[in-house]
Amino acid sequence: MSAEGLFWAPRAWVDGAWANAVLLRVDARGHWAQVSPDTPPPLSFADAQLLPGPVLPSLVNAHSHAFQRAFVGLAERRDSAQDDFWSWRDRMYRVALRITPAQLQAVATQLYAELLAGGYTQVCEFHYLHHAEDGKAYADEAAMSRALAAAAQTCGMGLTLLPVLYQRAGFKQPELRADQRRFAADVARVLRLRDAVRSWNLPNVSAGVAIHSLRAASAESVRDLVLQLRGDPGPLHIHIAEQTGEVSDCLAATGARPIEWLARELPLDARWQLVHATHATPEEIRAVAASGAGVVLCPGTEANLGDGLADLPRWLAAGVPLSLGSDSHVTRSWPEELRWLEYGQRLLLRQRNVAAAPGSRSDSRPDSRPGSEPGSEPASEPSTAARLFERMRAGGATAAGFAQWGLVVGARADLLVLDAAQSALCGLPPTHLLDGLVFGAPERPFSMVMVAGRWVDVANKPTPGFRAAMQALWPQPTA
């Protein structure tokens, strides 16, 4: 259904706080032309659509491997003495080696519909599944990229496609493993795929590039790619310091930790997005902060894979741009991801509301939380949910390649209508709705979702194509 261009919300999240009586106008490009709080409601529905609940900006999902949605629930058993990220990865390759473009499109269509229902309206697809099952290139080398773009167009999801540089199995393994044969992509291929996606001129579809990791690409290729990207405004993402084994291998091969090497050897800037950055030292955090690069946290997947916990207090205190990703998609809504992010810190530090920032921090009094630095963040925000939400909103914009994001003039006209009548939210003071959304765990919090001025379907039920793809990928035994 097409939006009419003018909307009125009883309450909306504007400039980092709840505002009352907000008039919202969408221009012909699907961007916000007007965001006006304290505006009386229009006299009739002919003038504007009156929205049935409080309105929030959506968030960007800054890290996705769409094909892994087909693997959710299939790695939650242990049949050996030890199970960790690396054994999970070997099992995950089973679906990576089998999924076809048509199946990928069906799985991604289901996933993107679920992400829309979970409050995301733009997804950054970290895309390394390029080739046919035998490892040979498709006649159309962008076949898998087209499948992802088609899925996004079907659902109305915004998409930032990030073709991935992927050349080797490890620091001391110069070739790919046989079960990584579908991932091979050198610098030239990555840039061709990026340019192909841009040439399609699809609505709400853009492209940047990615480097899988320092272990999966040589230093020479990484430097070459960075050189080729001079002057290009698109985002550049990389997996970094997700696992302690990766940190140890990088130290052995280069004499430096992964983030340390990256900050020392390459011209990091705001285009760079460091995915996970779980195992970072205070010195590395300061180096990232000085560069302007961002960090993408994926709490649900990091918990599922046993990655460890990022130093959230230091990342927040350093002012590093932060965003959220659902990665392997064991969780698919941003309120749940934020809840995981905060609860992990509470368990680690045995404190509550770790991410909150009560009182002014522009004075000289040191904050008591580990890693905080006085003066680095002047705003006071006692709400954990609000502080995390605002940081992810702002950081997600850069991660996806946008200059603006949220209920602000010039940004794309995306929004979420909150169902405040749900039992988890019912009766809460209006000022605490965001706290209840994140920590009260409502089942279906968003009644309506808009992307670029148009309403999208958030029914969130299995599609026939998804069911058929899953049955083909994981055939059931016959009776």
Side-chain angles (χ1 to χ4, degrees):
M1 173 178 143
S2 174
E4 294 299 324
L6 190 62
F7 305 87
W8 185 87
R11 188 169 290 104
W13 189 263
V14 180
D15 293 331
W18 288 110
N20 293 321
V22 180
L23 187 70
L24 301 156
R25 186 184 300 274
V26 182
D27 66 19
R29 300 178 303 131
H31 289 66
W32 295 121
Q34 180 182 359
V35 179
S36 300
D38 301 318
T39 302
L43 296 177
S44 72
F45 280 93
D47 297 319
Q49 181 175 353
L50 304 184
L51 300 178
V55 167
L56 283 168
S58 61
L59 289 189
V60 169
N61 188 322
H63 190 64
S64 166
H65 303 296
F67 78 92
Q68 292 182 19
R69 174 63 183 87
F71 192 53
V72 172
L74 293 171
E76 307 308 322
R77 301 182 180 190
R78 179 163 62 89
D79 299 316
S80 59
Q82 182 175 346
D83 193 11
D84 58 15
F85 168 85
W86 307 103
S87 54
W88 171 88
R89 187 186 70 161
D90 289 343
R91 284 175 283 171
M92 178 270 293
Y93 285 169
R94 290 173 57 196
V95 68
L97 287 172
R98 297 170 58 190
I99 195 166
T100 66
Q103 290 168 344
L104 176 61
Q105 182 174 337
V107 169
T109 299
Q110 175 69 33
L111 168 67
Y112 295 161
E114 293 171 341
L115 294 180
L116 286 165
Y120 300 107
T121 58
Q122 183 81 16
V123 62
C124 298
E125 191 62 48
F126 198 99
H127 176 48
Y128 57 79
L129 194 55
H130 301 302
H131 303 301
E133 295 92 311
D134 61 2
K136 295 180 180 178
Y138 288 105
D140 172 10
E141 71 175 0
M144 297 295 262
S145 299
R146 288 185 191 276
L148 293 165
Q153 295 284 284
T154 297
C155 297
M157 171 67 80
L159 173 67
T160 303
L161 198 60
L162 304 167
V164 174
L165 178 67
Y166 205 138
Q167 295 176 298
R168 64 186 188 183
F171 288 102
K172 296 182 179 179
Q173 298 169 279
E175 305 294 331
L176 292 171
R177 293 175 10 173
D179 54 4
Q180 297 171 323
R181 58 185 178 269
R182 301 190 73 178
F183 311 158
D186 59 13
V187 171
R189 183 181 295 275
V190 165
L191 295 177
R192 286 198 307 272
L193 288 171
R194 178 204 64 184
D195 293 344
V197 175
R198 291 177 176 176
S199 73
W200 299 339
N201 292 316
L202 295 171
N204 304 318
V205 174
S206 59
V209 299
I211 301 160
H212 181 272
S213 56
L214 295 182
R215 70 175 184 272
S218 69
E220 293 74 21
S221 293
V222 170
R223 290 191 177 97
D224 182 29
L225 178 62
V226 172
L227 183 64
Q228 299 290 333
L229 294 175
R230 284 190 304 181
D232 187 88
L236 171 56
H237 291 221
I238 183 172
H239 289 136
I240 198 86
E242 179 180 4
Q243 288 287 324
T244 54
E246 173 196 348
V247 175
S248 298
D249 289 348
C250 189
L251 271 167
T254 71
R257 298 168 58 87
I259 298 175
E260 177 190 8
W261 187 93
L262 201 69
R264 185 185 70 198
E265 299 292 333
L266 296 170
L268 300 186
D269 56 34
R271 296 175 304 168
W272 282 83
Q273 300 296 315
L274 280 54
V275 182
H276 302 300
T278 306
H279 303 286
T281 66
E283 293 75 19
E284 289 172 319
I285 291 172
R286 284 194 288 270
V288 173
S291 75
V295 166
V296 184
L297 302 172
C298 306
T301 289
E302 289 155 5
N304 184 268
L305 300 183
D307 288 345
L309 292 167
D311 192 345
L312 181 64
R314 277 196 170 89
W315 287 120
L316 287 169
V320 171
L322 300 178
S323 57
L324 279 181
S326 59
D327 196 354
S328 67
H329 306 298
V330 291
T331 57
R332 297 178 291 283
S333 74
W334 63 254
E336 185 175 4
E337 294 286 356
L338 290 186
R339 189 162 59 251
W340 267 103
L341 183 59
E342 168 69 18
Y343 280 177
Q345 299 297 315
R346 294 186 187 191
L347 289 167
L348 177 69
L349 300 173
R350 290 174 290 177
Q351 300 176 21
R352 298 192 70 251
N353 291 305
V354 174
S360 173
R361 295 171 60 191
S362 59
D363 58 22
S364 59
R365 290 179 289 109
D367 191 284
S368 63
R369 289 185 308 282
S372 56
E373 298 174 9
S376 60
E377 193 176 37
S380 169
E381 182 49 79
S383 166
T384 294
R387 189 182 186 210
L388 289 176
F389 179 77
E390 270 299 291
R391 292 292 291 269
M392 302 304 168
R393 180 196 60 78
T398 307
F402 293 106
Q404 296 173 298
W405 189 266
L407 303 183
V408 57
V409 172
R412 197 173 73 194
D414 293 19
L415 63 74
L416 312 170
V417 179
L418 191 62
D419 182 2
Q422 285 210 20
S423 59
L425 301 175
C426 183
L428 289 179
T431 54
H432 285 63
L433 281 175
L434 192 55
D435 305 292
L437 173 62
V438 172
F439 297 107
E443 292 183 2
R444 295 288 305 278
F446 309 119
S447 61
M448 302 170 72
V449 176
M450 177 186 288
V451 180
R454 295 178 180 271
W455 299 114
V456 296
D457 183 17
V458 288
N460 194 17
K461 56 188 177 183
T463 64
F466 176 67
R467 193 182 303 275
M470 291 294 286
Q471 289 172 343
L473 288 165
W474 313 108
Q476 301 297 308
T478 56

